Amino acid sequence: MMLYLRLYFEFFKTGLFSVGGGMATLPFLYAISDKTGWFSHELLADMVAVSESTPGPIGVNMATYVGYVTGGIPGALIATAGLVTPCCIIILLIAKALKAFRQNKYVDAAFYGLQPCSVGLIAAAGMLVLKISLFDFGLFGETGKLIDLFNFKAIVLAAILLICTRYVKKLKGLHPIVFIAASALVGIVFAF
Amino acid sequence: MTFGGGYAMLPIIEREIVDKRHWAELDEIMDYYAVGQCTPGVIAVNTATFIGYKLAGVPGGIAATIGVVFPSLIIITVIASVLTAFAEVPAVKSAFAGIRVCVCVLIFNSVMKLYKKAIVDKASLALFIIVFILAVLLDVSPVVFVIICALGGISLTRLGVRGK
């Protein structure tokens, strides 16, 4: 019972404070991971891939996935309900005064500060994914050799993906699922 | 059925709600969307709640919210149960190690896209840099950053720093 209450509360908080949609929930999920130990950083990175390859809003997908992993099917339902409760309440409250809300100078000014904040938080969460995917701190800790710190296979793959998704005209418009599938194959073939 | 988060939903909402069912006009949907972006939470959920509310009041809003999360709920639960069962298979482990590299790149691309929209002047650039560095170095809840930056946005605007 306590687990379900905490799941609801943590995702309620995520829904209330994550601004800007999509990846905005990521920093909050990392905070939940650090605080509760319900799931690892590795699992969270896998979850981003699953969310990018399945239908539906990424925030909802992540809540469902984390809820399921920590508390089974009831956990999935409760975490998702927690995430959407604040959105639902806020929208119902402001629905009548929609235009006035949008043009309110305080709301506008707050979002002027919130947008760079959201980008900064997502970028910081990205650093955590970088740390577990491109580096090998475990091996470096054992051997103390600088060369063991870098996961060279992964760095080469990252460079190729970066070029393909940003600069190759024919590829960059493709759905992320294509790149995720290709990376999975490369991971198996080259034994990452 | 939308892949890839909030923005992917717009054309589908347009087709289903505006063209087929005439539940709302396109410019209304655009308004919903803009508000969805400047309220906390998931944009697609916000938009669905709005359309539901417009058609059938508070119960409509709640019904539409349940509708929009339901497919994800089922699909993700199935995937999660399969994944946890196969997580220890070596080939699956290697596949996910490869996938994590891809996730880095996807997050980077997402940050670049958001960056162009959010960093509009010197003050917003400063906010971004400060939040990024502090979030990497300190073990502070993102909630704290969000509250401080909302207040910061209001103060900076009142001080007349915005837009310079």
Side-chain angles (χ1 to χ4, degrees), chain A residues 14-79:
Chain A
T14 304
L16 186 60
F17 288 102
S18 61
V19 179
M23 298 278 188
T25 47
L26 199 57
F28 292 87
L29 294 169
Y30 272 106
I32 295 176
S33 162
D34 290 338
K35 206 167 86 183
T36 63
W38 284 338
F39 48 88
S40 66
H41 285 187
E42 281 82 1
L43 187 81
L44 202 45
D46 299 347
M47 218 155 58
V48 175
V50 169
S51 292
E52 288 279 308
S53 336
T54 51
I58 191 166
V60 175
N61 289 347
M62 287 192 168
T64 307
Y65 196 121
V66 175
Y68 180 83
V69 173
T70 44
I73 289 171
L77 282 169
I78 286 163

Side-chain angles (χ1 to χ4, degrees), chain A:
Chain A
M1 197 59 214
M2 270 313 286
L3 172 72
Y4 294 141
L5 277 177
R6 281 195 71 190
L7 265 177
Y8 187 84
F9 175 71
E10 290 295 340
F11 280 95
F12 185 93
K13 223 165 64 182
T14 304
L16 186 60
F17 288 102
S18 61
V19 179
M23 298 278 188
T25 47
L26 199 57
F28 292 87
L29 294 169
Y30 272 106
I32 295 176
S33 162
D34 290 338
K35 206 167 86 183
T36 63
W38 284 338
F39 48 88
S40 66
H41 285 187
E42 281 82 1
L43 187 81
L44 202 45
D46 299 347
M47 218 155 58
V48 175
V50 169
S51 292
E52 288 279 308
S53 336
T54 51
I58 191 166
V60 175
N61 289 347
M62 287 192 168
T64 307
Y65 196 121
V66 175
Y68 180 83
V69 173
T70 44
I73 289 171
L77 282 169
I78 286 163
T80 309
L83 181 79
V84 302
T85 310
C87 328
C88 206
I89 293 172
I90 290 169
I91 293 292
L92 291 176
L93 283 177
I94 64 166
K96 278 190 183 143
L98 174 63
K99 288 227 164 91
F101 179 82
R102 236 183 94 193
Q103 284 153 5
N104 182 293
K105 62 177 184 183
Y106 290 104
V107 173
D108 181 65
F111 273 86
Y112 163 72
L114 283 173
Q115 282 186 323
C117 174
S118 181
V119 186
L121 288 174
I122 298 170
M127 297 302 287
L128 293 172
V129 185
L130 205 72
K131 193 176 149 193
I132 54 168
S133 57
L134 302 190
F135 298 94
D136 194 338
F137 283 94
L139 190 63
F140 175 65
E142 277 170 34
T143 63
K145 286 182 196 151
L146 199 59
I147 196 160
D148 286 333
L149 178 62
F150 302 99
N151 188 341
F152 289 103
K153 282 190 280 193
I155 291 170
V156 170
L157 176 62
I160 294 170
L161 284 169
L162 200 62
I163 292 165
C164 289
T165 52
R166 296 189 68 80
Y167 304 108
V168 181
K169 270 210 176 101
K170 276 186 184 163
L171 296 175
K172 69 179 181 184
L174 291 176
H175 193 277
I177 197 168
V178 177
F179 299 108
I180 292 172
S183 307
L185 260 177
V186 171
I188 295 171
V189 172
F190 294 97
F192 269 44

